Amino acid sequence: MRDRRLSPHSGLISRRGLMKRSLAAAAATSLPLRAFAQDPISVAGIYTVPVEQQWVSRIHIAAEAAKAAGQITYTFSENTANTDYPRVMREYAESGVKLIVGEVFGVETEAREVVLDYPDTAFLLGSSLPADPEYPNLAVFDNYIQDASYLSGIVAGAMTQTGKIGMVGGFPIPEVSRLMHAFMAGVKETRPDAEFQVSFIGSWFDPPNAKETAFAMIEGGVDMIYAERFGVSDAAMEKGILAIGNVIDTQSEYPKTVVASALWHFEPTLQAALANIAADAFKADNYGVFSFMKEGGCSLAPLGTFAGKVPQGALDLVTEREAAIKAGTFVVEINDTDPSI
């Protein structure tokens, strides 16, 4: 089953093309996939937005890579409304799917009611709540890519001319707030006097709204903008300022705009879940740790078109901090508070 209720937002075709390129890159460069001496594990994805959306695309790409490796069978539904989410969970569970992945940030309580009704199904869901032994077949995860966000901030601080930086996000939930705080901490390393404008658009996928919000910030004097949502880099490109990407690398679409991006790699998270299912050891647990840089769950995208344009001092600091993060001698603070307050 595949739900094709695609959003009519402009730019969707190019986003799908970008995701195809990302999938090919993931297959070529991601961590080696673990082999399991058994039949493929049946997996279903349930997503509240199109699979092109940054966050969800990383889950989708990892699942497609596992499918290509013969580890899993994979089907998915996209643009599933929160009100429909529990019903779709039940439909997949009733069909005998072994693992259900997705995100339940807007339907936490209802999703857990479904989980209890299907104890033989493993659920790996993005959630703001911690793992709970009362739901033994539910493991939670999050994109804890604060390490990469911090490194992207170092680059941003070195590239801004005015020191005024805009930040446009979806919602001020912990998953977004921690990345913004880490980014700002990185900026302060190379631009201590930086000033930030922070806005949230109240949607996970509304490029026109994000674009207009970015325009307002640019009119307010920012010359560097953190693109947590689609649409922000479009505004930056039109106005001739620089942007920092989030979760995915969009530099190929914005070669003169996107300087750097903090990338999320869902492969370590999915592989850990599949290994535990294969070993009959899946349980309530926090899989968010597999997004940390030392686990291979995030990275700073190659500078690409901006190679040679970022000050060497900033690059040296990025190299130093990256090595320390991976060694565990430098820890990027996880701050989940609303950065707009």
Side-chain angles (χ1 to χ4, degrees):
M1 178 173 72
R2 176 173 178 186
D3 191 330
R4 292 290 306 158
R5 294 168 290 172
L6 286 177
S7 168
H9 289 302
S10 62
L12 197 55
I13 293 177
S14 63
R15 304 299 181 200
R16 193 172 292 275
L18 172 65
M19 189 178 64
K20 288 180 179 178
R21 293 194 297 274
S22 297
L23 191 100
T29 64
S30 63
L31 296 175
L33 299 178
R34 303 172 189 172
F36 305 129
Q38 62 176 49
D39 293 334
I41 295 170
S42 55
V43 177
I46 310 174
Y47 311 121
T48 61
V49 293
V51 291
E52 290 85 3
Q53 189 260 10
Q54 297 104 303
W55 197 88
V56 161
S57 74
R58 311 317 291 174
I59 304 173
H60 181 67
I61 287 170
E64 288 284 7
K67 176 182 176 181
Q71 293 180 304
I72 68 172
T73 60
Y74 175 57
T75 186
F76 66 94
S77 296
E78 58 189 343
N79 288 322
T80 303
N82 285 334
T83 52
D84 287 338
Y85 208 95
R87 174 186 60 78
V88 179
M89 288 175 67
R90 291 182 184 280
E91 288 180 356
Y92 277 126
E94 291 284 353
S95 73
V97 166
K98 186 63 178 178
L99 172 65
I100 293 177
V101 298
E103 83 282 10
V104 293
F105 300 106
V107 63
E108 299 276 11
T109 300
E110 296 86 348
R112 282 163 175 74
E113 292 174 356
V114 175
V115 165
L116 288 178
D117 290 340
Y118 298 95
D120 294 329
T121 304
F123 293 85
L124 178 64
L125 302 174
S127 171
S128 295
L129 301 180
D132 187 339
E134 292 189 10
Y135 305 91
N137 55 325
L138 169 62
V140 298
F141 69 89
D142 214 338
N143 62 327
Y144 281 90
I145 63 170
Q146 65 281 343
D147 299 328
S149 295
Y150 167 80
L151 296 182
S152 73
I154 292 176
V155 174
M159 293 296 285
T160 178
Q161 297 297 313
T162 66
K164 295 181 179 180
I165 297 177
M167 307 179 72
V168 180
F171 295 90
I173 62 172
E175 293 69 24
V176 175
S177 297
R178 74 174 63 107
L179 305 187
M180 288 187 165
H181 279 294
F183 171 78
M184 290 189 285
V187 168
K188 291 289 187 177
E189 294 278 18
T190 47
R191 189 65 187 250
D193 64 343
E195 299 176 1
F196 302 95
Q197 295 182 34
V198 182
S199 292
F200 296 95
I201 64 172
S203 172
W204 291 130
F205 195 79
D206 190 349
N209 189 2
K211 186 176 181 179
E212 289 303 315
T213 301
F215 276 147
M217 288 184 172
I218 296 168
E219 291 176 4
V222 307
D223 72 340
M224 169 71 71
I225 197 158
Y226 178 84
E228 199 268 330
R229 294 291 98 196
F230 277 150
V232 177
S233 293
D234 294 288
M237 180 176 64
E238 289 184 23
K239 295 298 183 178
I241 72 165
L242 301 178
I244 297 293
N246 180 62
V247 175
I248 63 175
D249 186 359
T250 57
Q251 193 184 79
S252 61
E253 288 195 339
Y254 311 97
K256 296 181 180 180
T257 303
V258 176
V259 182
S261 298
L263 307 183
W264 182 32
H265 308 294
F266 191 70
E267 285 80 4
T269 302
L270 180 59
Q271 289 300 310
L274 294 178
N276 283 330
I277 290 173
D280 197 24
F282 190 88
K283 63 180 181 179
D285 208 347
N286 175 23
Y287 279 65
V289 296
F290 294 104
S291 291
F292 283 43
M293 183 169 284
K294 64 182 180 180
E295 298 292 341
C298 66
S299 67
L300 185 66
L303 292 178
T305 55
F306 281 86
K309 299 177 182 179
V310 178
Q312 189 59 46
L315 297 180
D316 291 343
L317 182 57
V318 166
T319 299
E320 175 188 333
R321 289 285 193 263
E322 182 177 5
I325 288 169
K326 291 180 177 179
T329 57
F330 183 86
V331 178
V332 176
E333 179 185 11
I334 297 176
N335 184 345
D336 290 346
T337 62
D338 185 344
S340 65
I341 296 176

